[in-house]
């Protein structure tokens, strides 16, 4: 049973006693799990096995943990038949059974198999039976002994029951993920040297980025090419990212673990639940979690409701999202790079002298004020993107830029590994202020005294300075790096 990505092994116990036929499930089941009684009874009958005509009680332990979903159908069926001595209880005792049952005895795929199997293996239960449509996904978990079953009859015969051969085919898991393709190349972007440089700095240090410019300037093209210059995910992050996508039902196991940083670009009509996660009962992951270890891109950011944008503040600071519901709290990872793109005004033509803009001054102010001050204070880089101009030949390809990003991240990882950090964006301000020379920070202190920089902005500018030093290959940032970092942070306002 999953609570967020945290898995719990549920002991399914059954008791069959003489009396009027009845079937009761206890242990805090929700409505979907309570309906398992009818699914399980029909699936057993369709498999050619007699259903016990007695008083049946099924307990899901621990009883204090709320249970939901149909993934326990298979385990309930086996537990009942083991209590009725139709199958060998000893052979079933150490099995972990995951799957939804169809009325015809089919074992249907369910979401979240990868984190569920990982939790079982961590608890010491390595023999797992899953739906055939989830077998490839479950096999990605190291140390698991996985058997895929297309029908309940297959499982029952393996446990000694006289079930008739199944006549159903395996059902593939419903997957809505797109086909795995290579990210677009940065060479497609002509010109925009300032924005390209800002994108490289963002990739090297894991920084958040705001691009402000007119329509057609290339903001979306640049954002879509950020994952292409990020390094591959390490093993731990690949499993974590894959687990989130498995739980959301967007993972195709035929491609193996997700090794490339994900890219999520929700539409500006998305609700708060779609962005941060939500739903009835225990909340499901949203776009911030699907973008974990990758990029969350909000195009036309001022068009998003302010309430939705402000929900990003917690995950931007903590790297995770905690969603509280009546049935409990769920915790999902949400350490992503946020990229915002915005036009300068509602019509988008307030550039240069602004002669082509038809917006009233108050309309322009109201439009950009939808990006609240607390949210903008968490954005490390704010860069203007000029209108498209003629450029001779393509720019540097993603592979060249990615090599510099990898070198900078390698230098940062070597310096930060003893402290448990990986990129500059994760480093707390206390460490930064102690590690940076006082002479280099003079410009930042002056900006704070003028009121042009907050305490949070001070730390974020320092992180940028360290990233710039890593890209240049020097041991620590100097006054020039700090000045450039301050310019990158205040680029839009400038």
């Amino acid at each position: 049973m999953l609570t967020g990505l945290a898995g719990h092994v549920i002991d399914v116990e059954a008791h069959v006693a003489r009396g009027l036929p009845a079937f009761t499930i206890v242990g805090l089941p929700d409505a979907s799990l309570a309906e398992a009684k009818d699914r399980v009874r029909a699936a057993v009958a369709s498999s050619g096995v007699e259903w016990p005509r007695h008083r049946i009680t099924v307990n899901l332990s621990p009883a204090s943990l709320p249970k939901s979903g149909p993934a326990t159908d298979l385990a309930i069926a086996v537990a009942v038949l083991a209590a009725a001595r139709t199958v060998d209880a000893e052979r079933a005792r150490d099995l972990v059974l995951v799957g939804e049952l169809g009325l015809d005895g089919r074992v249907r795929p369910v979401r979240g198999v990868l984190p569920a199997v990982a939790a079982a293996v961590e608890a010491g239960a390595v023999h797992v039976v899953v739906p055939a449509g989830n077998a490839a996904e479950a096999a990605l978990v190291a140390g698991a002994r996985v058997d895929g079953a297309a029908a309940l009859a297959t499982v029952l015969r393996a446990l000694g029951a006289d079930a008739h051969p199944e006549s159903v085919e395996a059902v593939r898991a419903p997957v809505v993920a797109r086909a795995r393709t290579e990210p677009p190349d940065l060479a497609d972007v002509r010109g925009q040297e300032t924005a390209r440089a800002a994108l490289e700095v963002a990739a090297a240090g894991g920084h958040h980025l705001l691009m402000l410019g007119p329509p057609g300037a290339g903001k979306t093209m640049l954002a879509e090419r950020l994952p292409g210059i990020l390094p591959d995910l390490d093993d731990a992050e690949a499993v974590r990212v894959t687990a989130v996508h498995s739980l959301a039902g967007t993972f195709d196991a035929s491609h193996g673990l997700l090794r490339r940083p994900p890219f999520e670009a929700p539409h500006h009509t998305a609700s708060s639940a779609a962005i941060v996660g939500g739903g009835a009962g225990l909340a499901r992951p949203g776009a911030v979690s699907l973008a974990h270890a990758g990029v969350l891109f909000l195009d036309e950011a001022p068009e998003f409701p302010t309430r939705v944008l402000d929900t990003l503040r917690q995950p931007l600071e903590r790297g995770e999202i905690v969603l509280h519901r009546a049935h409990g709290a769920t915790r999902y990872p949400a350490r992503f790079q946020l990229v915002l793109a915005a036009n300068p005004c509602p019509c988008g033509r307030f550039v240069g002298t602004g002669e082509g803009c038809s917006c009233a001054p108050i309309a322009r102010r109201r439009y950009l004020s939808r990006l609240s001050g607390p949210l903008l204070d968490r954005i490390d880089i704010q860069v203007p993107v000029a209108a498209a101009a003629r450029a001779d030949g393509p720019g540097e390809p993603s592979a060249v830029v990615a090599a510099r990003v990898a070198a900078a991240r390698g230098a940062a990882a070597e310096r930060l590994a003893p402290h448990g950090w990986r990129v500059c964006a994760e480093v707390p301000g206390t460490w930064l202020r102690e590690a940076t020379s006082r002479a280099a920070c003079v410009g930042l202190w002056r900006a704070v005294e003028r009121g042009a920089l907050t305490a949070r902005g001070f730390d974020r500018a320092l992180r940028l300075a360290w990233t710039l030093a890593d890209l240049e290959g020097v041991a620590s940032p100097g006054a020039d790096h700090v000045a450039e970092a301050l310019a990158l942070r205040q680029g839009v306002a400038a």
Side-chain angles (χ1 to χ4, degrees), residues 404 407-408 411 415 466-476 481:
R404 292 199 296 267
R415 178 178 68 251
W466 278 92
T467 298
L468 291 167
D470 289 332
L471 282 168
E472 195 174 311
V474 298
S476 62
H481 298 110

Side-chain angles (χ1 to χ4, degrees), residues 139-153:
L140 296 174
V141 179
R145 176 187 165 194
V146 178
D147 290 329
L152 175 61

Side-chain angles (χ1 to χ4, degrees), residues 433 441-459 461 486 489-490:
R433 291 189 290 273
C441 296
V442 170
L444 292 181
W445 286 118
R446 288 175 179 168
V448 172
E449 291 169 358
R450 294 196 311 269
L453 201 64
T454 64
R456 181 189 289 116
F458 184 99
D459 292 341
L486 187 58
R489 178 164 179 80
Q490 299 178 328

Side-chain angles (χ1 to χ4, degrees), residues 244-286:
V244 174
H245 285 256
S246 170
L247 187 59
T250 61
F251 172 57
D252 184 356
S254 64
H255 295 299
L257 290 175
L258 297 175
R259 292 287 181 181
R260 294 297 304 152
F263 180 82
E264 293 294 321
H267 193 261
H268 63 258
T269 58
S271 65
S272 297
I275 298 297
V276 299
L282 295 177
R284 292 287 184 179

Side-chain angles (χ1 to χ4, degrees), residues 98 116 165-166 199 209 234 261 279 298 319 329 373 451 460:
V98 180
E166 64 280 7
L199 197 74
L209 172 66
D234 60 28
L298 303 185
R460 289 187 176 276

Side-chain angles (χ1 to χ4, degrees), residues 115 125 198 285 291 372 402:
S372 67

